[in-house]
Amino acid sequence: MIEQETQPEAVPGPRNAPEGLPVPPATSVPRAVWQVRVRTKLDDLYQQLAVLATHDLEQAAALRAQLSGVEAVLGRSGVIEWLRGGKLEYAWQTIHWVERAMVGLRSADELTGLLPAYRSAAAQVLPADDKVLTDLDTVAGGVSADLLRARVQALLQRCHAVSDEFHESARRLRNRMLGLSVFALVAEVLVVLVQWRSNDVRLLEAPTDAGGVAAWRLLFFVLIAGALGAFLSALPSMITSRSGGLPYKLPFQQGLLKLAIGPLVAVVGIMLVIGGLVETSVSSTAALLGLAIVFGAGQQAVTAFADRRAADLLGPAAKS
């Protein structure tokens, strides 16, 4: 589902930019969550650059111009762009680059004062024994300003690399789940169409009380019952799952995958029952649909891989 933007009142750029430093144009607040986070981060960096411009006006202006390129991506996105995530990657990688470059504008005293904040942010995405984090812990008052800047930049670069890899993994998982869901839905439509056009082959044997029901209609109701079973079994996990602040809506994609796979599992399961591979019998339409609901709920065994992968990604705090 593509987020659409509204056009509420404009957000002005920083008012305390010194003379000679261009002020970013007023922009509207986007609706998409990831765009709101980017917009908030941009405003924060603009404010910081306005202060740092007193150290190096030319460099601060160059960094502000770099950030202004991100403004163009905070608009509508097509389906292809939504799948590829190019705008999202460009926005955050540009912000990350500017954050690292801003370290060069800060004085040694400023960096020393910001060290606890750098450590706290890095500890959320890096293991405690990561070398760039331990190197920063060894920083003392006698370290030169250049070495301090280099270590802070190395820490930021490591954190940003982890963040980029995290978002790329989440996007790949989203696209794979979406692709499987679309494939399953197309397969279900094709199965119904083939059964509708074929009168001599019946995928499902009709119970005694549904002998006059068309084969494709019976198949269609079994698919619906399977989707119902999938929905009931997926409801608890869909309610308790969390998105981790990501723009990829992984819980929604997990639910869609379950609803798409459930009907296919129901049809396959009933075919096995009718074929005699399972020791049970279907004597009525109610029993047939009830069995479809049970098999549809069994999609959890098929989609568990997606649940585990999403849980692994969203277990720690979302990295931005």
Side-chain angles (χ1 to χ4, degrees):
M1 181 177 181
I2 310 297
E3 296 280 2
Q4 301 296 331
E5 291 73 38
T6 57
Q7 299 294 329
E9 63 179 355
V11 175
R15 298 181 180 179
N16 59 344
E19 184 178 356
L21 192 63
V23 177
T27 56
S28 59
V29 178
R31 181 181 174 185
V33 174
W34 76 266
Q35 293 173 343
V36 172
R37 297 181 68 186
V38 169
R39 176 73 265 169
T40 303
K41 189 65 176 179
L42 285 177
D43 292 340
D44 177 55
L45 293 180
Y46 281 139
Q47 294 288 348
Q48 294 185 49
L49 285 172
V51 176
L52 294 175
T54 58
H55 299 175
D56 189 331
L57 180 61
E58 183 178 351
Q59 179 66 10
L63 294 180
R64 186 184 290 271
Q66 189 76 20
L67 287 177
S68 65
V70 180
E71 304 279 352
V73 308
L74 300 181
R76 296 178 180 273
S77 299
V79 175
I80 300 300
E81 174 55 42
W82 178 71
L83 292 173
R84 291 178 177 175
K87 289 184 177 180
L88 174 64
E89 291 299 323
Y90 171 76
W92 279 114
Q93 290 188 25
T94 301
I95 287 174
H96 290 163
W97 182 86
V98 170
E99 283 184 315
R100 295 194 296 271
M102 286 170 59
V103 174
L105 296 177
R106 301 188 188 276
S107 66
D109 290 339
E110 289 175 327
L111 290 176
T112 302
L114 289 172
L115 282 181
Y118 287 134
R119 289 193 185 97
S120 176
Q124 297 181 14
V125 297
L126 298 179
D129 59 347
D130 194 287
K131 191 174 188 307
V132 293
L133 191 56
T134 56
D135 284 348
L136 195 65
D137 290 336
T138 61
V139 170
V143 175
S144 66
D146 290 339
L147 179 58
L148 178 59
R149 290 191 183 94
R151 288 186 176 179
V152 171
Q153 287 178 330
L155 179 69
L156 290 178
Q157 186 170 9
R158 174 70 176 132
C159 293
H160 294 161
V162 172
S163 172
D164 294 339
E165 183 180 356
F166 169 77
H167 280 268
E168 182 180 359
S169 298
R171 186 173 62 254
R172 284 201 304 264
L173 178 61
R174 186 275 311 272
N175 290 347
R176 288 170 182 171
M177 289 193 294
L178 182 61
L180 290 173
S181 300
V182 172
F183 178 81
L185 291 173
V186 170
E188 289 157 11
V189 172
L190 290 177
V191 166
V192 173
L193 289 177
V194 169
Q195 184 65 90
W196 174 54
R197 299 292 296 176
S198 177
N199 296 322
D200 53 344
V201 176
R202 297 176 66 97
L203 296 178
L204 302 178
E205 190 67 30
T208 55
D209 60 349
V213 178
W216 72 269
R217 291 182 59 190
L218 184 65
L219 178 62
F220 178 77
F221 280 111
V222 167
L223 290 172
I224 294 296
L228 177 60
F231 174 77
L232 293 177
S233 64
L235 193 58
S237 61
M238 292 172 62
I239 292 176
T240 58
S241 59
R242 61 194 190 96
S243 64
L246 291 174
Y248 307 111
K249 296 182 174 60
L250 292 185
F252 174 79
Q253 300 299 331
Q254 289 174 255
L256 180 61
L257 179 63
K258 295 175 187 297
L259 291 177
I261 295 295
L264 286 180
V265 175
V267 171
V268 172
I270 292 177
M271 290 176 65
L272 294 177
V273 170
I274 295 177
L277 297 180
V278 179
E279 295 182 0
T280 186
S281 60
V282 180
S283 58
S284 65
T285 303
L288 179 67
L289 297 181
L291 198 59
I293 292 175
V294 172
F295 279 117
Q299 54 76 30
Q300 287 289 125
V302 180
T303 60
F305 72 94
D307 294 337
R308 287 193 299 270
R309 181 57 179 153
D312 291 341
L313 282 174
L314 300 179
K319 306 170 181 63
S320 60

